[in-house]
Every structure is written in C-alpha cells, then in structure tokens.
C-alpha cells in the first residue's frame, strides 16, 4: 500500500508499506477520503510538539472496514466508517469524567500514532463509527472537524437569544458558525476575519454579518451597532484575541478558545471577574461523533460548504501547499485514495 509519511520535519515521502494487520480490538480501514487539517501541515513543518517521526499523518478519514482483529465482530467487515482520532486509556481521571480527549495517556491518530493518509489504516474498533447511507462517501470525513465545533459549543451552551462573535472563518470558524446557527438557532452570529473570501464563506455558512478586521476595528463596529456579544469563539487563535474578546464581551458572556499558541495573552482578573465571564477551552472531541453524524443526517450542518478541493493522494504535496498558501481560494481540501 501507499502511505504519506513525514519522515522528519520538512521531509514528506509517499512510501510503499506492507498492509498493517489489525491488532486485537482493532479494525483495518480501506481509506477512500481524508481531510487535510492545519495540524497535518504543522507536523510536516515540525511545529507540532506532540508528533513523533516518522509519522503517517491524517486524522480526518473515511473508508470501509476490510479486516478486523481478535475480539471484533466480523460482521463489521464492509461497514462504512469514520474514525474518531482520540485514543484514550479509559481509566484515568479525565476518562472517568467523560473527557477522553484530554486523557493522561492521550494518543491522537495521525499525531502520536500512524494516521489516515494511507491506503489502509488501523484503529480501535470502538473509534470506528458507522456512517449512514444518507451521508455520501465524499463528505463523510468532514464529521471529524465538526466534532471540534460540537465539543466547544457543548461548553458554551448557546441559546437562540445569544449574540455570538466568531473570530476566524477558516474550517474551524465555519464549523462553529454552522453549529451555532443550524443546531442551536443562535439569532445573531457575527464573524470577523482578515480575508474577504473567508467572510463570504462565513455568510454562506449562515453568519448574519461580518467584519473585515484588517479594514475595520471590531470594537468600534460593535459599539456603533450597540452590540455586546454573549458568546465569543476564538477560532483564529492569535494570542492577542483573548484580551479583545474579554473587552467586547457582554457581562455574563461565555468565551470559547481552541488555540495552542505558546505565547502569553495579556489579560487581567478585573476584566474577567467584573463581568463574571466564563472562559472555556476545548481540545479535539469527547465522544461527539454520533451527535455530529446525526446533525449531518438531519441536514442541520452542511459540510459541502467548506470543501473547496478534492485531490488525489498522489498530489499530497501540492495539496498541502495549496491549503497552506492560498486561504483565499482554498478552505477544506480532501485527499482521495
Ligand atoms: P485557518 O488558518 O484555516 O483559519 C484561521 C482563520 O482566522 C483564517 O481565515 C485567518 O484569516 C483568520 N484570522 C487569523 N488571525 C485573525 C485575527 N486576528 N482576527 C480575525 N481573523 C483572524 O485555521 P483553522 O483550520 O480554521 O483552525 C483555526 C485554529 O484552530 C488553529 O489555530 C488551530 O490550531 C486551531 N484548532 C484547534 C483545535 C482544537 O481542538 N482545540 C482543533 C483544530 C484546530
Ligand atoms: Mn482536524
Ligand atoms: Zn485516560
């Protein structure tokens, strides 16, 4: 089989490998579609602190189960599945409170262990979720990015009367916008980004209005409109955003963050406590696959609005470059295997 391997930072090779044999409790998936994510690019460039090399990247993938390991029902062979990349120990404190995504021994498929940019990939059987026929093959790998939005919004508990402000209209911001509108029915969703084309995508994904913050100051625009957001999601993840978000937030607002920057953010206790703001962070997802699959089946979210390109896996280098360099024309890129 062919696998996309990052042998060391900066060195990508399509490697011929022997078919992996599923271990006890695992399934093997014949991969057909896999999504490119920012973290794949980070592993490629050596900017992901968790990655070990060599590594088959890819944590957003869909395919058919073609073989099962010991203890897994052979009836699962042939099943159409998406894979939850979160592999957890099941008995530590976070696991015991339903948060395997921050397990003490967390292993993320495609980061800590080999992933889905490969003709075949193995994963624990319980991480392989059946995809109903109503979700087409070419969109099924989009379940994973929406689980990130499902996870953060579960903390924020949006209601229709909220006014939400979303920073960043990349794949993460767009999934959040779709969930805020399509699932929670949030009345007013405002989106800010520096790229006009991304803001058009935000409108297409249901945003009510947008602010290009390379041209206009978000604080001034909101103040002129008399708007104080009650929910703010930072899906752009620059460390300076938190300070602005706290400033703009309504009293009693909730702020969700998902960034991994190692740079400090400058915030004060007073700015948070005086308005009794709740701050939530969210990493990956905790058992959100079934929920997102249901939302997709019900048409509450529309993954096709994020996908701008499908490209053959053999063109992975070109696909990664396009994804990284051209945020105007490119949003989600899916590789075909
Ligand atoms: P992306 O780079 O495609 O999108 C980010 C968007 O934010 C871009 O459109 C960019 O123009 C915009 N932006 C950048 N700085 C901005 C600013 N100061 N104000 C307004 N907009 C700004 O990235 P993607 O894939 O959407 O991911 C976003 C972030 O989410 C990344 O930092 C990534 O590390 C993080 N992430 C976190 C996850 C988690 O589980 N916590 C999972 C996946 C991604
Ligand atoms: Mn991802
Ligand atoms: Zn654990």
């Amino acid at each position: 089989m062919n696998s996309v391997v990052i042998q060391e930072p900066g060195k990508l090779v399509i490697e011929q490998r022997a078919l992996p044999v599923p271990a006890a409790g695992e399934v093997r998936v014949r991969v057909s579609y896999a999504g490119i994510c920012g973290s794949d690019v980070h592993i490629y460039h050596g900017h992901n602190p968790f990655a070990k090399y060599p590594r088959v990247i890819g944590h957003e993938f869909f395919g058919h189960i073609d073989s099962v390991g010991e203890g897994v029902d052979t009836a699962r062979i042939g099943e159409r599945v998406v894979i939850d990349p979160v592999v957890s120990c099941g008995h530590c404190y976070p696991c015991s409170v339903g948060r395997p995504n921050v397990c003490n021994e967390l292993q993320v498929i495609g980061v800590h262990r080999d992933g889905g940019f490969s003709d075949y990939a193995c994963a624990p059987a319980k991480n392989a979720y059946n995809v109903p026929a109503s979700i087409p093959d070419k969109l099924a790998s989009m379940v994973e990015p929406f689980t990130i939005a499902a996870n953060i919004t579960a903390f924020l508990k949006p209601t229709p009367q909220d006014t939400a402000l979303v920073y960043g209209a990349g794949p993460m911001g767009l999934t959040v916008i779709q969930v805020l509108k399509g699932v929670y029915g949030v009345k007013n969703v405002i989106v800010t980004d520096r790229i006009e084309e991304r803001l058009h995508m935000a409108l297409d994904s249901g945003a009510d209005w947008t602010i290009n913050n390379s041209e206009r100051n978000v604080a001034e625009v909101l103040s002129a409109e008399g708007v104080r957001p009650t929910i703010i999601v930072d899906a752009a993840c620059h460390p300076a955003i938190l300070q602005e978000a706290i400033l703009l937030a309504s009293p009693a607002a909730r702020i969700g963050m998902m960034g991994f920057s190692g740079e400090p953010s400058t915030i004060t206790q007073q700015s948070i406590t005086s308005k009794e703001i709740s701050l939530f962070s969210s990493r990956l997802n905790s058992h959100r696959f079934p929920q997102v699959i249901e939302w997709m089946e019900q048409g509450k979210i529309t993954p096709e609005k994020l996908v701008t390109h499908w490209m053959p896996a053999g063109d992975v280098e070109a696909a990664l470059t396009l994804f990284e360099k051209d945020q105007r024309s490119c949003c989600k890129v899916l590789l075909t295997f």
Side-chain angles (χ1 to χ4, degrees):
M1 66 167 187
N2 287 317
S3 302
V4 176
V5 181
I6 308 300
Q7 291 185 327
E8 58 189 70
K11 190 165 179 212
L12 181 150
V13 175
I14 297 181
E15 216 173 80
Q16 289 255 317
R17 289 189 165 192
L19 248 65
V21 178
E26 285 189 347
V27 296
R28 183 173 70 196
V29 178
R30 170 76 185 91
V31 178
S32 44
Y33 291 91
I36 295 179
C37 176
S39 56
D40 298 310
V41 178
H42 291 148
I43 297 172
Y44 182 19
H45 294 317
H47 297 159
N48 183 312
F50 311 110
K52 300 267 183 304
Y53 301 86
R55 176 63 62 242
V56 177
I57 51 175
H59 60 271
E60 306 176 1
F61 58 104
F62 162 82
H64 292 74
I65 295 178
D66 88 314
S67 172
V68 299
E70 195 190 311
V72 181
D73 189 350
T74 53
R76 293 203 67 180
I77 292 172
E79 210 177 291
R80 299 169 68 242
V81 292
V82 281
I83 305 298
D84 185 345
V86 171
V87 178
S88 56
C89 79
H91 50 71
C92 67
Y93 170 71
C95 282
S96 74
V97 294
R99 294 167 69 177
N101 49 325
V102 285
C103 170
N104 288 342
E105 288 159 42
L106 178 66
Q107 293 257 309
V108 182
I109 296 175
V111 181
H112 303 85
R113 55 160 85 186
D114 282 344
F117 287 4
S118 181
D119 290 330
Y120 295 84
C122 291
K126 64 177 162 52
N127 288 52
Y129 288 89
N130 182 59
V131 175
S134 61
I135 300 175
D137 290 9
K138 64 188 294 206
L139 292 173
S141 69
M142 290 299 292
V143 170
E144 195 278 343
F146 276 96
T147 64
I148 313 292
N151 208 69
I152 195 164
T153 52
F155 285 117
L156 298 169
K157 297 195 170 49
T159 69
Q161 66 262 37
D162 277 306
T163 292
L165 171 65
V166 178
Y167 282 88
M172 285 303 107
L174 295 173
T175 58
V176 167
I177 294 161
Q178 287 198 15
V179 171
L180 289 173
K181 292 302 286 188
V183 175
Y184 292 97
V186 173
K187 191 174 56 195
N188 199 2
V189 175
I190 307 157
V191 180
T192 183
D193 201 294
R194 307 177 292 196
I195 301 175
E196 204 55 41
E197 289 83 351
R198 287 268 165 111
L199 292 173
H200 286 135
M201 293 193 80
L203 290 170
D204 190 42
S205 275
D208 295 285
W209 50 288
T210 61
I211 305 169
N212 186 326
N213 65 350
S214 70
E215 295 164 356
R216 295 192 293 164
N217 179 283
V218 180
E220 282 171 20
V221 176
L222 293 187
S223 146
E225 298 285 333
V227 172
R228 299 189 90 179
T230 56
I231 287 182
I232 301 181
V233 179
D234 177 11
C237 304
H238 189 281
I241 290 171
L242 184 58
Q243 186 181 29
E244 182 174 286
I246 291 167
L247 176 78
L248 299 177
S250 160
R254 296 86 83 199
I255 297 177
M257 40 187 193
M258 52 208 310
F260 289 94
S261 170
E263 298 298 314
S265 300
T266 311
I267 55 175
T268 62
Q269 293 179 347
Q270 187 185 59
S271 63
I272 300 170
T273 314
S274 61
K275 294 196 276 189
E276 207 176 62
I277 287 168
S278 303
L279 286 181
F280 295 99
S281 66
S282 178
R283 180 176 185 190
L284 302 165
N285 88 96
S286 56
H287 303 303
R288 308 276 173 202
F289 271 65
Q291 179 75 83
V292 169
I293 289 169
E294 198 179 300
W295 291 344
M296 260 185 210
E297 271 196 285
Q298 296 167 341
K300 291 181 171 172
I301 51 176
T302 45
E304 61 273 25
K305 292 191 170 168
L306 272 68
V307 186
T308 51
H309 298 78
W310 282 269
M311 293 172 76
D315 295 341
V316 60
E317 263 196 281
L320 287 166
T321 304
L322 173 76
F323 173 81
E324 190 182 13
K325 300 268 153 61
D326 193 358
Q327 294 200 323
R328 292 183 189 280
S329 74
C330 179
C331 187
K332 202 72 194 171
V333 182
L334 304 186
L335 298 174
T336 56
F337 287 82

